[in-house]
Amino acid sequence: MAAVLFGCSTMRPKHLARPEVISAEGNFTHAASGMTFPSSVGGFQRSKVLRYDTENLDMSAGYDLITVMGSVAATIYVYPAPSLISIGSPPNVVAAARDRLAQNEFEARKREVMHFRPGALLIEEREVSLQQGNATYLGKMATFEYEEVFAGQRQLLRSHLYFFCFAGGKWVIKYRFTHPRFFDATKEIDEFMKNLLWTLT
């Protein structure tokens, strides 16, 4: 019997008409994924937690860092990864299908940035790895530039999209970091990503 592999487009939860704020004090754990979002990560302070769907599968937590050198707005999203069903398929076929679905999802998230930020320019795109303790996670990154009001004034910004698909086997973890272009926030972003540990179950 021939092996069969079904790769489906992302199975989106039923989204709300508009995001809803989740009331959260102290550490907040997303029940569906097990991901915990502390009230602070280094110098970043959590500003809000949002849910986007009726089943509480798709959510985000926003954090802000304000320093004399510059400010950084960070948002981390957790939502279900694209659906993949394998029936007797060889491991290399499954891996190729997962890679294809992950790339399609990453391209969709890039288009999303360009759609909501008209005039945004994609200035960098590369593969990345995230080291947390003894674990290494492989993902993708894209950097955009655009002009928008930030920290009370209109200015040129840099926005970084970090994307990790099939995290914990069935989740997407996506980061967005935005800061003024003049401010090199590389160190602050790296520390945030290393210190906000994945607690997926």
Side-chain angles (χ1 to χ4, degrees), residues 3-101:
V4 180
L5 176 72
F6 299 93
C8 305
S9 60
T10 302
M11 300 296 291
R12 296 293 184 192
K14 184 178 179 181
H15 280 101
L16 301 167
R18 59 179 58 84
E20 290 185 357
V21 175
I22 299 175
S23 179
E25 297 290 339
N27 291 349
F28 172 80
T29 298
H30 179 220
S33 67
M35 187 71 174
T36 296
F37 301 91
S39 57
S40 64
V41 180
F44 286 83
Q45 299 298 315
R46 196 181 67 213
S47 55
K48 60 185 173 182
V49 178
L50 297 176
R51 73 178 184 123
Y52 300 93
D53 70 306
T54 57
E55 295 85 10
N56 292 314
L57 298 175
D58 187 349
M59 57 83 59
S60 71
Y63 291 82
D64 295 310
L65 173 70
I66 301 174
T67 73
V68 295
M69 300 298 295
S71 301
V72 183
T75 307
I76 177 170
Y77 302 79
V78 177
Y79 62 90
S83 173
L84 179 65
I85 302 173
S86 172
I87 303 176
S89 298
N92 64 311
V93 175
V94 176
R98 285 165 64 97
D99 288 345
R100 184 168 61 253
L101 289 172

Side-chain angles (χ1 to χ4, degrees), residues 4 13 61 66 68 77 92 102 110 112 114 137 149 152 163 172 182:
V4 180
I66 301 174
V68 295
Y77 302 79
N92 64 311
K110 289 180 355 187
E112 188 176 65
M114 304 293 281
Y137 307 106
V149 175
F163 177 85
V172 169
F182 69 81

Side-chain angles (χ1 to χ4, degrees), residues 29-196:
T29 298
H30 179 220
S33 67
M35 187 71 174
T36 296
F37 301 91
S39 57
S40 64
V41 180
F44 286 83
Q45 299 298 315
R46 196 181 67 213
S47 55
K48 60 185 173 182
V49 178
L50 297 176
R51 73 178 184 123
Y52 300 93
D53 70 306
T54 57
E55 295 85 10
N56 292 314
L57 298 175
D58 187 349
M59 57 83 59
S60 71
Y63 291 82
D64 295 310
L65 173 70
I66 301 174
T67 73
V68 295
M69 300 298 295
S71 301
V72 183
T75 307
I76 177 170
Y77 302 79
V78 177
Y79 62 90
S83 173
L84 179 65
I85 302 173
S86 172
I87 303 176
S89 298
N92 64 311
V93 175
V94 176
R98 285 165 64 97
D99 288 345
R100 184 168 61 253
L101 289 172
Q103 183 64 40
N104 290 344
E105 182 69 11
F106 180 56
E107 294 297 330
R109 302 288 71 80
K110 289 180 355 187
R111 291 194 298 270
E112 188 176 65
V113 174
M114 304 293 281
H115 174 74
F116 287 106
R117 300 294 189 275
L121 298 176
L122 175 62
I123 64 170
E124 182 184 11
E125 182 176 342
R126 58 185 171 88
E127 295 184 350
V128 294
S129 62
L130 172 61
Q131 187 76 35
Q132 290 189 345
N134 295 324
T136 300
Y137 307 106
L138 302 180
K140 303 175 185 296
M141 187 274 279
T143 297
F144 304 84
E145 281 191 359
Y146 53 86
E147 189 174 301
E148 192 173 84
V149 175
F150 183 85
Q153 60 178 317
R154 191 168 188 84
Q155 55 186 307
L156 194 58
L157 305 174
R158 280 200 172 172
S159 186
H160 311 278
L161 165 65
Y162 287 84
F163 177 85
F164 299 86
C165 199
F166 296 109
K170 58 183 179 180
W171 298 96
V172 169
I173 294 185
K174 182 182 77 171
Y175 301 82
R176 282 285 304 279
F177 298 95
T178 303
H179 57 85
R181 190 180 71 168
F182 69 81
F183 176 42
D184 182 1
T186 303
K187 178 182 176 182
E188 288 78 7
I189 291 171
D190 287 347
E191 289 181 350
F192 180 93
M193 294 180 68
K194 289 177 181 177
N195 292 331
L196 200 163

